[in-house]
Amino acid sequence: MKREDLLELSALDIASGIKAKKFSVPEVVNTYIDNIEKNDKQYNAFLTIAKESAVKRASEIQLRIDKGEDISPLAGVPISLKDNISTEGIETNCASKMLSGFKPVYNAAIVEKLESAGLIIIGKNNMDEFALGGSSETGAFGAVKNPWDLTRTAGGSSGGSAAAVAAGEIPLAIATDTGGSIRQPSSFCGITGIKPTYGAVSRFGINAAASSLDQAGPMAYTIEDCAALLSIISGPDKRDSTCSIKEPFKFDLTSAVSESAVKGLKIGLLSNIASYTSNACITVLNDEVKTAVSAASKELEAAGAVVESFEISLMDYFIPTYLTIAAAEVSSNFAKFDGLKYGYRSSNAKTLSEVYRLSRAEGFGLEVKRRIMFGSFALSAGQYDVYYKKALQARMLIRDTYKKLFERFDLILSPVTPTTAFELGKKVDNPMDVYMGDIFTAAVNLAGLPAASLPCGFDKQGLPIGFQLIGNAFTENKLIDVGRVYQSRTGYHNIKFGKHNDK
């Protein structure tokens, strides 16, 4: 097999090929590293390439495979991590000047599980600074560019992870999702991504943005690759008190796809879009997105699902509730970056007070400062009841709304984003416009539910469109089954960037 052909294979196919001795782990790893070194300057998807450790580990895993060890279904497969996931000895800077050069002394729980399963961590992906943003433009090391159109965003905050997968630089990536940060970039870049149920994957070793909302999950071209990876990284962890799952997910990916998994399933199709207005920003659902999502629902209907339209009256409150809670938690979590214990310290500081003030002023970017200031304001003595307490009350109403919806439906289907990928720099001066891009995704995090983004078409400019499947808590098996059926009936997930006209 030619080296470039390896870049076209799914993660599961790579693992199968290694097991069948069609190619070796070092050959696969070197092929992907060479491709990153050759092409990533145009995407800026990677912040760090761990070449030396990856090559060494590839040889170690190959020896174990040669000895006949059955390590895992993804043994030997290269993977990259969003740069807010701690990796021992490998820089983890969260795309921020505040942590530039910081090398953790321990691995995140996810990394431990990946290494145990025999995957090879190749590097760390670019992102919005500290995962705060919706376009991967707020980071200190430059914007991520969408492989489908280099003038457009790859989405955020996990844009580097999505772009790396879409560009064929890596077959698998793990990112985090606070309000849509796995699903929106997946949709913009034409790949598949899963945001698991809150508590299904340990957050130990992941730099917290908003602790009650953050959840790590997989990104790949296919739902099967995502499922295989999710089964590895999910499971209990005593070091994370919010990790409530009792055992890792188990998905049957060896049997043929059966449409019986869809037949009779009740799927609710979200039919309304909020008209929330702030700073002259009005959310409008793009007609091409609406058409593609509708076609996806009809595809599942043709497979035997029962699709019924519904509306959510609370959609006007999704973004205000999400932003208030997220900002409040950011304000609290980021208090530790004080210029003393670790991280950036201003060389201009002469007094203790200046160390605090200047280090944070110089170390944080604009979006991080904006969230901290808003969160501190919402938590202040005079505003707590007015903003934060009301946001918590609204969150309970949103959770109750979804609880009632899942008494009617097995799954919910909706757009991922109101539009396709927008131009870089277009929304930098209007953050509310970026925030409103999470109108379909943020409530999922508020309710702690699982959701998947799957490719379902293209707009007239050739940009990918994705749709979202939302499940009840810990029903990832249902999401995977329906996703497999959809992808067995369509080919959008197999279309690489720039090749959609060959469909």
Side-chain angles (χ1 to χ4, degrees):
M1 177 179 286
K2 296 180 180 179
R3 294 188 76 188
E4 57 267 26
D5 292 337
L6 282 173
L7 304 175
E8 299 292 320
L9 297 178
S10 71
L12 286 169
D13 285 342
I14 290 173
S16 296
I18 291 170
K19 200 170 185 179
K21 301 186 184 301
K22 293 180 180 179
F23 35 78
S24 68
V25 181
E27 184 180 356
V28 172
V29 168
N30 283 311
T31 296
Y32 275 97
I33 290 175
D34 289 346
N35 190 39
I36 294 168
E37 292 179 334
K38 178 182 177 181
N39 296 310
D40 193 60
K41 286 184 180 179
Q42 61 183 322
Y43 309 124
N44 199 27
F46 279 84
L47 293 177
T48 303
I49 301 174
K51 184 175 181 177
E52 185 177 339
S53 61
V55 171
K56 179 181 178 182
R57 181 163 167 75
S59 297
E60 294 171 351
I61 297 301
Q62 185 63 58
L63 285 174
R64 292 178 62 187
I65 292 173
D66 290 342
K67 290 178 181 178
E69 288 188 42
D70 187 14
I71 306 172
S72 84
L74 291 176
V77 177
I79 190 170
S80 62
L81 307 177
K82 189 175 179 179
D83 206 30
N84 61 345
I85 299 173
S86 293
T87 43
E88 183 180 358
I90 301 174
E91 185 171 349
T92 302
N93 58 45
C94 297
S96 178
K97 182 179 179 181
M98 180 62 78
L99 286 179
S100 181
F102 174 68
K103 294 182 179 180
V105 296
Y106 68 97
N107 282 323
I110 285 174
V111 176
E112 295 174 349
K113 291 182 178 182
L114 292 175
E115 291 188 342
S116 177
L119 283 89
I120 316 294
I121 298 172
I122 281 186
K124 309 296 286 294
N125 292 129
N126 201 355
M127 55 189 280
D128 279 305
E129 184 180 11
F130 283 109
L132 301 178
S135 61
S136 293
E137 294 178 272
T138 70
F141 308 105
V144 179
K145 298 178 181 179
N146 192 321
W148 289 87
D149 182 341
L150 297 179
T151 69
R152 294 179 182 269
T153 175
S157 61
S158 310
S161 302
V165 173
E169 294 184 326
I170 203 77
L172 292 171
I174 292 179
T176 59
D177 190 310
T178 304
S181 295
I182 287 175
R183 290 158 288 158
Q184 185 240 38
S186 294
S187 179
F188 279 2
C189 292
I191 64 170
T192 304
I194 299 176
K195 180 264 169 195
T197 304
Y198 184 80
V201 177
S202 173
R203 294 186 300 108
F204 176 79
I206 297 176
N207 187 80
S211 303
S212 74
L213 302 169
D214 299 341
Q215 185 64 91
M219 304 170 87
Y221 259 102
T222 72
I223 192 76
E224 291 188 344
D225 281 354
C226 285
L229 183 53
L230 181 56
S231 67
I232 290 171
I233 64 173
S234 61
D237 183 4
K238 293 180 180 179
R239 296 166 296 183
D240 177 6
S241 61
T242 67
C243 194
S244 56
I245 193 171
K246 294 182 178 180
E247 60 181 25
F249 291 118
K250 295 179 181 179
F251 306 111
D252 182 9
L253 303 176
T254 58
S255 60
V257 178
S258 173
E259 294 192 354
S260 62
V262 174
K263 288 181 180 178
L265 210 64
K266 294 181 180 179
I267 298 178
L269 175 62
L270 182 64
S271 61
N272 68 312
I273 172 68
S275 296
Y276 179 74
T277 306
S278 180
N279 294 332
C281 173
I282 302 176
T283 307
V284 178
L285 179 61
N286 181 291
D287 286 339
E288 292 173 287
V289 172
K290 186 176 182 179
T291 298
V293 172
S294 177
S297 72
K298 291 177 181 176
E299 194 70 53
L300 292 176
E301 201 168 23
V306 178
V307 178
E308 179 185 334
S309 296
F310 73 97
E311 292 189 358
I312 296 181
S313 60
L314 290 175
M315 282 190 70
D316 284 349
Y317 300 97
F318 284 1
I319 298 302
T321 302
Y322 164 72
L323 287 177
T324 303
I325 292 173
E329 295 184 7
V330 164
S331 174
S332 176
N333 283 328
F334 285 24
K336 61 180 175 285
F337 298 113
D338 55 10
L340 294 177
K341 293 184 286 293
Y342 51 83
Y344 175 81
R345 180 185 293 189
S346 174
S347 59
N348 299 315
K350 307 300 181 184
T351 66
L352 180 61
S353 176
E354 287 183 347
V355 168
Y356 293 142
R357 178 170 56 84
L358 295 180
S359 296
R360 289 170 68 83
E362 297 169 13
F364 287 135
L366 178 60
E367 182 60 29
V368 176
K369 293 175 186 175
R370 182 183 289 122
R371 304 276 185 118
I372 291 174
M373 290 175 69
F374 174 41
S376 298
F377 174 77
L379 291 173
S380 63
Q383 307 301 327
Y384 181 92
D385 289 342
V386 178
Y387 293 99
Y388 186 64
K389 184 177 179 180
K390 284 188 176 179
L392 293 179
Q393 292 170 335
R395 183 179 194 170
M396 292 306 299
L397 291 175
I398 291 168
R399 284 179 171 175
D400 288 343
T401 296
Y402 276 102
K403 183 178 180 181
K404 292 176 182 177
L405 284 171
F406 284 113
E407 292 174 358
R408 293 173 56 192
F409 304 116
D410 296 294
L411 294 172
I412 292 170
L413 191 154
S414 80
V416 178
T417 63
T419 67
T420 51
F422 50 87
E423 295 176 0
L424 289 165
K426 185 176 182 180
K427 300 185 178 184
V428 171
D429 296 327
N430 189 358
M432 272 308 305
D433 206 4
V434 178
Y435 301 158
M436 290 307 298
D438 294 335
I439 187 67
F440 296 113
T441 55
V444 172
N445 298 74
L446 290 169
L449 303 174
S453 171
L454 300 98
C456 65
F458 301 90
D459 68 8
K460 293 177 182 178
Q461 296 172 300
L463 298 171
I465 300 171
F467 78 97
Q468 179 176 222
L469 280 176
I470 305 169
N472 205 353
F474 298 105
T475 61
E476 274 81 348
N477 273 288
K478 198 172 291 185
L479 285 178
I480 302 302
D481 287 344
V482 174
R484 289 184 75 201
V485 170
Y486 178 79
Q487 292 192 339
S488 72
R489 295 176 64 93
T490 62
Y492 297 112
H493 61 290
N494 290 322
I495 302 171
K496 311 300 181 182
F497 74 97
K499 300 179 181 179
H500 61 284
N501 290 327
D502 297 335
K503 175 165 65 79

